[in-house]
Amino acid sequence: MSKQLVNAIADMREEEALKVVKEMVEGGSGPMAILDAAREALDLVGQRYEEGIYFLPELMLAGEMMNQITDIVKPELAKLPEIKRHGKVLIGTVEGDIHDIGKNIVTFMLDASGFDVLDLGVDIPPQKFVQAIQEFQPQVVGLSGFLTLAFDAMKETVEAIQAAGLRDKVKIMIGGGQINEEVKKYTGADAYGNDAMAGVSLAKKWAGAK
Ligand code: B12
């Protein structure tokens, strides 16, 4: 069934995709299996966009489908065991980038895992992160970005946090489609995460949660 979901999303069959998601939820497929399949499909959409088979409207429809799927799956994620308040995480998509589907999943998973999360939204300038750190006083800052352009914005954000004298007060994690160890080094972040659960593990480690 997850293969059917991957194909339905990748081939832009919105109605079928949502129907399959609902059937998977009813059939007891875990929320993570559904989100993994959806992500695999979005990778295919991305490839087809790169190859010139798809254009911006398809990217937009894929994003819309993903948001609807996340809405269906959210109540299921909330049923996962947990809930003990661990600490505070500030998160946002960096300046120049408006991709937020992945960030929203990370935010939701952090919240469901017991963190107080302040989500600043998308296209957030470095100074806005700095101001929010001063006011919200998180232990962890999460920077999300999908564009290669976002690497510079992440670097500038880490530098602005440093310049404000706040670098040793927070741990910084980054994530998004193309992030790897090299990008981590370039930006000056403390770690990167490939998926939402990696973000939760990092935040737990840094906030001293068991
Ligand atoms: C949907 C989509 C869009 C939607 C976004 C809708 C939205 N609300 O987010 C729209 C249509 C708006 C869009 C716009 C554009 N897009 Co776009 N988009 C995509 C697409 C198809 C899927 C992205 C996605 O949501 N994936 C699913 C989520 C769940 O995955 P994820 O983000 O990776 O999230 C997980 C992890 O990364 C991680 N994570 C995410 N954030 C964080 C943060 C932390 C701290 C941690 C620890 C972990 C973490 O956890 C998440 C959950 O497990 C990708 C292709 C692809 N390969 O995926 C292209 C893609 C990212 N887009 C691309 C491009 C080029 C654009 C545009 C420039 C197109 C244009 N010509 O206008 C614009 C950019 C506008 C801007 N300034 O940002 C390129 C980027 C190329 C590059 N190297 O920079 C891609 C790769 C497509 C391609 N192959 O060319 N896009």
Side-chain angles (χ1 to χ4, degrees):
M1 218 168 196
S2 71
K3 198 73 221 151
Q4 193 187 348
L5 178 59
V6 172
N7 290 334
I9 299 172
D11 297 341
M12 301 290 134
R13 296 194 301 271
E14 185 177 11
E15 230 171 82
E16 183 188 335
L18 297 177
K19 188 169 151 265
V20 175
V21 169
K22 284 176 191 147
E23 282 168 11
M24 283 176 81
V25 168
E26 281 156 18
S29 298
M32 295 318 288
I34 296 171
L35 289 177
D36 281 349
R39 194 170 163 204
E40 192 184 326
L42 290 194
D43 281 344
L44 287 174
V45 173
Q47 276 169 30
R48 289 177 195 177
Y49 175 79
E50 264 174 26
E51 288 162 6
I53 300 167
Y54 282 169
F55 298 94
L56 202 53
E58 282 85 7
L59 279 191
M60 288 168 80
L61 179 58
E64 203 181 286
M65 277 192 268
M66 189 67 198
N67 278 333
Q68 293 187 62
I69 291 168
T70 313
D71 283 347
I72 299 172
V73 168
K74 262 185 187 174
E76 301 304 309
L77 283 171
K79 288 180 198 157
L80 296 175
E82 188 80 44
I83 300 301
K84 187 169 129 216
R85 292 287 128 187
H86 290 316
K88 293 188 199 172
V89 183
L90 175 71
I91 196 163
T93 301
V94 293
E95 189 165 30
D97 198 325
I98 59 162
H99 292 88
D100 68 353
I101 299 169
K103 169 188 67 62
N104 293 346
I105 296 174
V106 178
T107 302
F108 187 78
M109 290 302 289
L110 284 165
D111 185 40
S113 307
F115 287 92
D116 287 328
V117 191
L118 176 60
D119 180 359
L120 296 177
V122 299
D123 190 14
I124 304 300
Q127 279 313 319
K128 215 166 160 191
F129 276 102
V130 169
Q131 199 187 336
I133 293 171
Q134 284 159 341
E135 287 162 11
F136 184 57
Q137 306 203 333
Q139 291 88 0
V140 179
V141 175
L143 306 179
S144 185
F146 222 123
L147 299 175
T148 25
L149 272 176
F151 304 161
D152 284 326
M154 287 176 172
K155 186 174 193 283
E156 283 156 23
T157 305
V158 175
E159 282 167 1
I161 293 170
Q162 172 102 41
L166 297 166
R167 186 64 185 90
D168 58 350
K169 299 214 165 25
V170 291
K171 287 282 192 186
I172 303 177
M173 59 181 179
I174 57 173
Q178 350 231 338
I179 307 287
N180 56 27
E181 184 61 30
E182 224 170 283
V183 179
K184 187 211 92 177
K185 279 199 193 121
Y186 175 72
T187 59
D190 295 301
Y192 74 98
N194 276 329
D195 56 30
M197 282 321 291
V200 170
S201 301
L202 286 167
K204 279 188 174 172
K205 187 171 89 182
W206 290 333
K210 295 278 172 309

